Amino acid sequence: MRTPTTPLLAATAALACLALAPAPTVLVGSTETQGHVLTDTDGHTLYVHDGTLCTGPCTATRHPLRTTADTTPALPPGIAGTLATLPRPDDGTLQLTYDGAPLYTYTGDTQPSETNGITPDWHTVPARYLPTG
């Protein structure tokens, strides 16, 4: 015989699942020119580069999105893709990647969701929503 689930048990189970899920490491912001893009937890637009890893003088304006070994990279619910880390060759810290591409912020973006860092080689990271239903 099947025991009916009470609303309290269902709510408790849902909260337990939420408690086990890591907090998002990146968020989604809405921009004027690029639509919905990935941002850091302060709302600053994230960028990827077409070429090599940004090291040395490049990091003066392009800050690698760093994390720690005890942080589990997590996208917001409903966003497709894979967050991971890579050790930086210049200082050994961990940098977040999205679908294998290292993530950066741009020092010229002083307000959340600005996109001043777009160039022919630097691009925002579109938020790809998972299909529903």
Side-chain angles (χ1 to χ4, degrees):
M1 172 158 60
R2 189 170 169 201
T3 306
T5 304
T6 65
L8 178 59
L9 287 175
T12 302
L15 287 174
C17 289
L18 289 175
L20 296 176
T25 315
V26 300
L27 302 175
V28 174
S30 179
T31 68
E32 288 185 25
T33 60
Q34 301 295 301
H36 291 99
V37 299
L38 296 185
T39 70
D40 67 8
T41 55
D42 292 327
H44 292 102
T45 301
L46 294 176
Y47 296 89
V48 294
H49 188 256
D50 283 344
T52 61
L53 190 66
C54 174
T55 59
C58 175
T59 61
T61 57
R62 305 289 178 163
H63 294 171
L65 186 59
R66 296 181 191 330
T67 190
T68 60
D70 61 345
T71 300
T72 302
L75 289 165
I79 301 299
T82 302
L83 279 183
T85 61
L86 67 83
R88 291 195 47 82
D90 51 359
D91 62 10
T93 61
L94 293 176
Q95 181 173 358
L96 280 173
T97 63
Y98 177 72
D99 288 345
L103 296 172
Y104 302 86
T105 58
Y106 177 63
T107 58
D109 290 345
T110 59
Q111 299 297 313
S113 296
E114 286 184 334
T115 56
N116 298 315
I118 297 171
T119 72
D121 296 330
W122 288 94
H123 312 280
T124 61
V125 183
R128 298 188 337 250
Y129 291 92
L130 293 169
T132 57

